[in-house]
Amino acid sequence: MTGRRATSRPKPATDLESQLEMIERGSGDGDLTFSRGVSLHVSSLGKPYFASGITKGALMRYYTRIWPVLAPHVKDRPLVLKRYPEGVGGPMFYQQNAGDHVPDAVRVETFDTRDEGPKPRIVGGDLATLLYTVQIGSIEVHPWLSRVRSIDTPDRCLIDLDPGDDVSFSAVVALTRDVLGILRQCALTAAVKTSGSSGMHLVIPLPPRTSWDTSAELAMLVARAVMAQRPERATVERTIRSRPQGTIYVDAMQNARGKSMACAYSVRARDGATVSAPVRERELTTRLRTEGFTVRTMPARVDRAGDVYGDALAATSTKRALATAMRALEQVLDAAPPVEKPQREQKRSSRGGTGVQSTVRRRRRPGV
C-alpha cells in the first residue's frame, strides 16, 4: 500500500471559521491557511446548498466547528463522496476514486480495490481533506467501516433501521430500544445515532482482526433475532413491495468491503440540513425527533455533551466474547420458527465501491 497524506495541523477552529466567514462575505473565493504553510483554495462559498439558505460556506463552518468530535470517526478511513455540485435538489453522483487534480493538502491513499486493481482514494484524517470534499460538493461524510491499514478487517458493524413510509419515527425509536436489549443479553454494546433521515443506526464495535464475513454474519444474526422477537414490527425483507405493512427493515447488508455509512455528526442532504446525531439510550423516547439535530443546533449539543458516539464505541469486545455473543444470538433464533435461508450476494454498487460481497451462513438448528 502506498500513499501520501497531509502533514498539516489546522489552526484553532475559530480562526478557520473566521477565515471562511471573511471569504464568504467578500467575493466567495479565497485561500484557507492552515499551519505549516498549507493552504486550500475554496470558491463559491455564498452558493446556497439548502433551500433554507444554508450556504457552502456555512456548511464548511459547521464541519470546522465540530471537527474535534468528527475527526476520530473518519481518521484513516476511505471516503465515498456523494457529490451535490448544485446543492440539495440538484443532481447527485457518487465518486469513489480521488480524481486527477487533488490539492497537495488532501490525503490520498492507494490500495487494492480487488476487481479494479490499485486505485487512489481520498482518506479522512485532517480538516483540510474534509473541507476539500465540501468544496467539490460533498454535503455528507461517508467513511468505510474499515481503515486503510487494515482494510480487510472492519472495526464497526452497522445495523440500519429503515422504516416504511407508513411507520412513525417513534416506532423506529422503540425498535432501537429492542435491538439494544437483545445486544445487552448477548453482552454486546452499540453506539446509537439518528440516520439524519427517517431511521436509526446502531454501530457495534468489533475486536481487532474481525473478518468481513464475521461482521456480515453478526449483523444478520442480530437482524433475524430482532425479527424473531418483534415480528409485528421488524422485517429483513429487502424488497420494499414484499415487506409487511407497518414494519421496519432491519438492514444488515451494509457490512461488506467497500461499503460506507453516513458518519456520526455528518450533515444529510435533506431539507432542514439535518445531522446524523449520536444519542444516549436514555434519549430514546417518544420525544426524540430527527429534526431536532441540524447544522444550526448540533454544535451547541456537541459543546454540551461531547463525543457521545466515541464514548459509546469505546467498550470493545474480544474475539472470544464476540463468538459467545453470536452463539447466544443463534440460540434466540433456535427458539423461533424456521426462517428462509438468506442468499449469498455478489454485486457492484456505486454507493458501496467495488467487489462488495456479503455472505451470511444459515443459522444452525438442533439436529442439523
Side-chain angles (χ1 to χ4, degrees), residues 19 35 39 57 59 67-68 76 81 124 129 133 172 179 187 191 200 204 206 220 223 284 311 320 340 350 366:
Q19 292 182 55
S35 63
S39 65
L59 187 61
W67 175 246
D76 299 328
L81 306 186
T129 295
T133 67
V172 182
V179 178
M200 296 287 291
I204 304 170
L206 299 172
M220 185 57 76
L284 297 174
D311 292 344
R320 177 177 295 181
E340 183 180 354
S350 60

Side-chain angles (χ1 to χ4, degrees), residues 70-113:
L70 177 62
H73 310 302
V74 297
K75 183 179 180 181
D76 299 328
R77 297 182 188 274
L79 302 178
V80 176
L81 306 186
K82 190 176 178 181
R83 295 178 59 182
Y84 295 80
E86 301 304 320
V88 175
M92 183 278 290
F93 63 93
Y94 288 96
Q95 178 178 325
Q96 293 285 339
N97 296 330
D100 297 329
H101 305 289
V102 180
D104 291 339
V106 176
R107 181 179 176 185
V108 174
E109 297 276 356
T110 300
F111 57 90
D112 191 1
T113 59

Side-chain angles (χ1 to χ4, degrees), residues 31-344:
D31 293 328
L32 289 176
T33 302
F34 297 81
S35 63
R36 301 185 181 181
V38 173
S39 65
L40 177 71
H41 184 74
V42 293
S43 61
S44 303
L45 295 194
K47 176 186 287 188
Y49 264 16
F50 294 85
S52 59
I54 295 173
T55 62
K56 179 197 285 190
L59 187 61
M60 286 189 179
R61 290 196 298 276
Y62 166 79
Y63 280 126
T64 299
R65 176 79 177 274
I66 57 93
W67 175 246
V69 294
L70 177 62
H73 310 302
V74 297
K75 183 179 180 181
D76 299 328
R77 297 182 188 274
L79 302 178
V80 176
L81 306 186
K82 190 176 178 181
R83 295 178 59 182
Y84 295 80
E86 301 304 320
V88 175
M92 183 278 290
F93 63 93
Y94 288 96
Q95 178 178 325
Q96 293 285 339
N97 296 330
D100 297 329
H101 305 289
V102 180
D104 291 339
V106 176
R107 181 179 176 185
V108 174
E109 297 276 356
T110 300
F111 57 90
D112 191 1
T113 59
R114 290 186 173 174
D115 58 342
E116 291 188 358
K119 293 291 183 180
R121 298 291 178 91
I122 293 177
V123 176
D126 57 75
L127 185 53
T129 295
L130 179 62
L131 295 185
Y132 168 73
T133 67
V134 178
Q135 165 61 28
I136 61 175
S138 296
I139 292 172
E140 305 181 351
V141 184
H142 285 260
W144 280 31
L145 299 172
S146 63
R147 301 178 187 270
V148 290
R149 305 304 178 192
S150 52
I151 204 70
D152 290 313
T153 56
D155 58 357
R156 295 176 181 179
C157 175
L158 172 64
I159 307 294
D160 181 3
L161 303 186
D162 183 11
D165 294 337
D166 56 344
V167 179
S168 69
F169 188 66
S170 294
V172 182
V173 172
L175 188 62
T176 302
R177 294 197 302 267
D178 293 335
V179 178
L180 287 175
I182 291 172
L183 294 177
R184 190 177 297 112
Q185 293 173 17
C186 301
L188 291 174
T189 62
V192 181
K193 63 187 184 72
T194 66
S195 69
S197 181
S198 58
M200 296 287 291
H201 293 163
L202 294 97
V203 182
I204 304 170
L206 299 172
R209 296 181 295 280
T210 299
S211 70
W212 285 112
D213 281 349
T214 297
S215 178
E217 183 177 6
L218 169 64
M220 185 57 76
L221 284 170
V222 172
R224 291 194 174 277
V226 174
M227 187 180 70
Q229 291 198 0
R230 294 289 184 270
E232 78 290 351
R233 182 178 289 169
T235 181
V236 294
E237 175 57 57
R238 298 196 72 192
T239 305
I240 295 177
R241 292 181 179 178
S242 300
R243 295 174 191 168
Q245 186 174 4
T247 58
I248 298 163
Y249 175 42
V250 185
D251 186 359
M253 302 304 294
Q254 303 305 314
N255 298 282
R257 190 183 195 271
K259 290 283 190 176
S260 65
M261 70 172 177
C263 191
Y265 310 107
S266 171
V267 180
R268 303 308 304 270
R270 292 175 55 86
D271 291 340
T274 53
V275 171
S276 181
V279 295
R280 297 186 176 93
E281 186 170 1
R282 66 174 180 265
E283 296 178 282
L284 297 174
T285 70
T286 56
R287 295 189 299 273
L288 188 67
R289 293 289 184 272
T290 294
E291 296 78 11
F293 307 108
T294 70
V295 165
R296 293 188 171 98
T297 65
M298 200 65 194
R301 176 178 169 85
V302 167
D303 289 343
R304 181 175 65 254
D307 185 8
V308 173
Y309 191 63
D311 292 344
L313 289 171
T316 57
S317 61
T318 64
K319 296 194 77 170
R320 177 177 295 181
L322 179 60
T324 300
M326 293 174 72
R327 287 194 296 269
L329 289 166
E330 288 176 335
Q331 290 173 1
V332 172
L333 293 174
D334 287 338
V339 295
E340 183 180 354
K341 179 180 178 180
Q343 300 296 313
R344 181 183 180 94

